[in-house]
Structure formats: C-alpha cells, structure tokens
C-alpha cells in the first residue's frame, strides 16, 4: 500500500487525468462522521466518465482499509472499486502499475472477503447490489459484475421485459 508519506501522491493522476493529491480526501473519509460529501468528491476524482489512472489504483487499498476500520456497510466502497476494476486497461485507461499491483489485488480480495461478511448485514438494495457486483468481479464473473455494478434494477427489469417479448414473438 502506498504510504501517505510517499511523494508520488503529489503527481498521481486519477479520473480527470491531471495530477491530484488524493491523500486529503482519503483522510477526510477516514476521520469524518458524515462521509456523503467526501464520497461524492472521491467518486468524481477517482472515476470520471469511465476514466481512471494510477491514482485510482493507488487509492483502492486505502479505501478498503478505511472501509474495514469504519465497520459500516457502505455501497460506495464496493461500487467504486468495481468501477475502477472494470475500467482497468480499457480504452485510454492504464493497467494497474507494477509498483501498486500487489496491494491493489490484495485490496480486491480483502474487499471480497468483507463483502461476504457484510452481505447478511446489508440493509438496502443498493448495498446488496454493490457487494454482489464486486463479488462477481473478484470471482471472475466480470460480465455479471458489470451488470450488477452499472445497471439499476429498473434497467435490468427492462432488459428482462425485452428478452421476454423476444421469446414470445
């Protein structure tokens, strides 16, 4: 995991592809009680219209660490991690850099384990869907993970209707 003392944070790029030091956002997420505004900023910075970069990958292990410490089932961690992972290496997005690959992959596995523990405690459909999406991705079912992570329940129901009408016709 990239230490907060590491100077690379100052030059890493994320979703907007401009250098941004993500440490202040991560520290706010770690210390604040009302994390909703911070999550909005984190989403915007790490994943912008499908774009990610090295900073996005470096932040994931910290997001998982903070999630574990907070002990709260939060859909944001699962869904943002899934979004970053699904964007990895697609289009203009880079793959995970070698210098953070091990901590990034360990964080994915750790979040998968946390998801299995937290799924029975998830109280809203958004959390359940996000956990299931991440679990599908971590266990190699990326297409199902993409559907769970990127489509709303209404969109999936619409797809189901379209498939049913094709079967009937």
């Amino acid at each position: 995991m990239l230490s907060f003392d590491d100077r690379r944070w100052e030059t890493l790029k994320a979703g907007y592809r401009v250098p941004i030091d993500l440490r202040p956002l991560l520290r706010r997420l770690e210390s604040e009680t009302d994390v909703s505004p911070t999550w909005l900023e984190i989403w915007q910075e790490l994943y912008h219209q499908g774009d990610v970069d090295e900073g996005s990958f470096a932040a994931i292990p910290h997001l998982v660490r903070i999630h574990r410490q907070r002990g709260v089932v939060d859909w944001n961690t699962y869904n943002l991690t899934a979004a970053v992972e699904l964007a990895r290496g697609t289009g203009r997005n880079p793959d995970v850099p070698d210098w953070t690959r091990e901590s990034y992959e360990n964080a994915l596995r750790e979040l998968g384990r946390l998801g299995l523990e937290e799924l029975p405690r998830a109280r809203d459909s958004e959390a359940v869907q996000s956990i299931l999406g991440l679990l599908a991705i971590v266990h190699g079912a990326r297409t199902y993970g993409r559907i769970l992570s990127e489509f709303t329940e209404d969109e999936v129901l619409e797809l189901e209707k379209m498939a049913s009408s094709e079967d009937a016709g």
Side-chain angles (χ1 to χ4, degrees):
M1 183 178 321
L2 188 62
S3 167
F4 277 174
D5 295 331
D6 196 304
R7 303 277 319 226
R8 283 180 280 188
W9 284 108
E10 298 167 9
T11 60
L12 291 177
K13 297 175 184 173
Y16 287 102
R17 303 203 195 271
V18 295
I20 178 170
D21 188 342
L22 296 165
R23 293 175 293 186
L25 282 174
L26 294 168
R27 285 183 177 121
R28 280 183 25 215
L29 184 65
E30 194 168 16
S31 64
E32 292 179 350
T33 52
D34 180 12
V35 295
S36 296
T38 304
W39 267 117
L40 287 174
E41 287 183 60
I42 289 172
W43 267 98
Q44 290 172 355
E45 294 298 342
L46 295 188
Y47 181 84
H48 178 69
Q49 298 178 349
D51 291 339
V52 298
D53 213 318
E54 291 182 339
S56 306
F57 302 121
I60 294 297
H62 286 282
L63 291 177
V64 173
R65 174 185 59 78
I66 293 165
H67 181 90
R68 185 180 347 96
Q69 287 173 347
R70 290 181 63 84
V72 175
V73 179
D74 190 332
W75 70 271
N76 285 289
T77 309
Y78 293 98
N79 213 36
L80 180 56
T81 301
V84 169
E85 173 59 13
L86 290 169
R88 175 180 57 89
T90 63
R92 299 179 340 164
N93 295 327
D95 202 347
V96 180
D98 289 340
W99 55 265
T100 194
R101 181 173 302 279
E102 184 178 351
S103 63
Y104 176 81
E105 290 174 353
N106 286 341
L108 287 178
R109 286 189 295 274
E110 172 68 12
L111 190 56
R113 285 189 294 274
L114 285 169
L116 289 171
E117 293 172 16
E118 291 182 346
L119 188 57
R121 296 193 330 253
R123 296 293 174 237
D124 61 84
S125 64
E126 194 169 47
V128 170
Q129 185 176 352
S130 298
I131 292 169
L132 291 173
L134 187 274
L135 286 170
I137 292 165
V138 167
H139 291 282
R142 291 176 72 86
T143 301
Y144 294 112
R146 181 176 304 280
I147 290 168
L148 285 161
S149 299
E150 295 180 359
F151 289 85
T152 65
E153 187 172 352
D154 289 340
E155 290 169 327
V156 172
L157 290 171
E158 188 62 32
L159 290 172
E160 182 182 45
K161 280 184 199 175
M162 289 172 38
S164 295
S165 67
E166 288 176 6
D167 289 345

